[in-house]
Amino acid sequence: MEKKLSHSLAWVAAVCTVAIWSETFISSKILLANGMTPAEIFFVRFLLAYVLIWFFAPKHLFSGSVKDELNFALLGFAGGSLYFFCENTALTYSTAANVAILVCCSPLLTALLMAIFYKEERMNLRQVAGSVTAFIGMALVVLNGELVLHLNPLGDLLAFCAAIAWASYSLLLKRVSGRHTPLFVTRKVFAYGLLTILPYFIFVEPFSIDMAVLSRPAVWGNLLYLGSVASMICYITWNWATTVIGTVRTTNLLYFSPFCTMIFAYLILDDRITWMAVAGAAILTAGMILAVRKKG
């Protein structure tokens, strides 16, 4: 009974996490409009998350194992600085539709990596078919009536690198989650995410946020939301859900991200929703039902 309740709560936590992450593009869009760069948004977001999680997570700085410490460094790089840098930079070169579709390849890439390294995470044929169906539905949601993709090699490559980065994060997370609590793992991810973005500020673009910009309610309000809810809380719930549900099944829920984004954009930004998007949502839901069901 207790295990069943834990699984149910993990599903709720994972779905809520995906929904919150789907809305963050609106907050990021507001911050970009106020003059912040993608790297600055990421740094302040993770810095706030690290400060907040310090009050709840175990206080020891290191994991006690060189191997685990290296895994944590790779986690912070793959799921933090590299992922956000590739995704946000891709948006400056390619279209939002291209980036969304390519980034949402991460569940398929995660399933592939897990099948190679972890036998117990392998999907059966029904789940593979469901995952592919969900991807097709997700693509229809993202296109939302626009059938033409405008290819940009650099932007599209960066978006695909973001998908690889998140798939790598999922693989690395499984290595350490059994030996450390979700709170400690999440704190380490934030720490190494901050450390690995520093070379960007040193060699590419210096960190130079105007304090007048930070004093604007729209800026500090959205930064506080991204740091406390979308980063600290959501990374904790996501890391915990993957340990309970399984990495592949949890990651498949990311297919719902564009659908949730479409709903938020409709409610907040008054964006349109086409019949293609509605049909894509139906296909996406059917695919997800097949993809997340247990092997049987």
Side-chain angles (χ1 to χ4, degrees), residues 48-89:
L48 284 171
Y50 184 80
V51 171
L52 291 172
I53 201 172
W54 182 262
F55 294 98
F56 308 99
K59 298 299 185 291
H60 54 281
L61 288 177
F62 301 105
S63 59
S65 165
V66 175
K67 182 179 179 180
D68 280 356
E69 205 63 34
L70 178 59
N71 281 326
F72 283 131
L74 292 173
L75 275 168
F77 178 62
S81 57
L82 180 63
Y83 173 79
F84 283 100
F85 173 79
C86 289
E87 182 185 53
N88 292 331
T89 307

Side-chain angles (χ1 to χ4, degrees), residues 55-256:
F55 294 98
F56 308 99
K59 298 299 185 291
H60 54 281
L61 288 177
F62 301 105
S63 59
S65 165
V66 175
K67 182 179 179 180
D68 280 356
E69 205 63 34
L70 178 59
N71 281 326
F72 283 131
L74 292 173
L75 275 168
F77 178 62
S81 57
L82 180 63
Y83 173 79
F84 283 100
F85 173 79
C86 289
E87 182 185 53
N88 292 331
T89 307
L91 288 169
T92 66
Y93 292 101
S94 189
T95 65
N98 286 34
V99 174
I101 290 174
L102 289 168
V103 169
C104 278
C105 287
S106 58
L108 290 174
L109 294 173
T110 300
L112 178 61
L113 288 176
M114 288 295 170
I116 294 172
F117 292 99
Y118 295 98
K119 184 178 179 180
E120 70 274 13
E121 288 279 3
R122 292 175 184 172
M123 294 191 295
N124 57 29
L125 289 177
R126 173 181 52 77
Q127 291 173 310
V128 171
S131 184
V132 173
T133 302
F135 179 81
I136 294 171
M138 177 276 303
L140 292 175
V141 170
V142 171
L143 291 173
N144 198 15
E146 300 291 337
L147 292 175
V148 180
L149 284 175
H150 302 282
L151 301 180
N152 182 289
L154 178 57
D156 296 343
L157 177 62
L158 285 169
F160 189 66
C161 287
I164 295 174
W166 192 259
S168 301
Y169 174 84
S170 301
L171 176 66
L172 292 164
L173 185 62
K174 188 171 179 64
R175 290 184 180 180
V176 299
S177 58
R179 297 189 295 273
H180 303 278
T181 65
L183 276 171
F184 183 73
V185 170
T186 307
R187 200 202 81 199
K188 298 293 286 186
V189 169
F190 293 151
Y192 281 111
L194 291 168
L195 288 174
T196 52
I197 197 65
L198 292 180
Y200 177 85
F201 293 124
I202 296 172
F203 299 107
V204 181
E205 185 178 23
F207 185 89
S208 57
I209 297 180
D210 189 344
M211 292 306 296
V213 172
L214 286 178
S215 65
R216 299 171 188 170
V219 173
W220 61 257
N222 279 287
L223 284 173
L224 186 60
Y225 166 74
L226 289 175
S228 60
V229 179
S231 292
M232 187 193 77
I233 294 176
C234 284
Y235 267 79
I236 293 172
T237 54
W238 185 260
N239 293 345
W240 172 66
T242 58
T243 63
V244 177
I245 302 172
T247 303
V248 173
R249 296 171 74 207
T250 308
T251 307
N252 270 324
L253 292 175
L254 292 174
Y255 285 132
F256 274 124

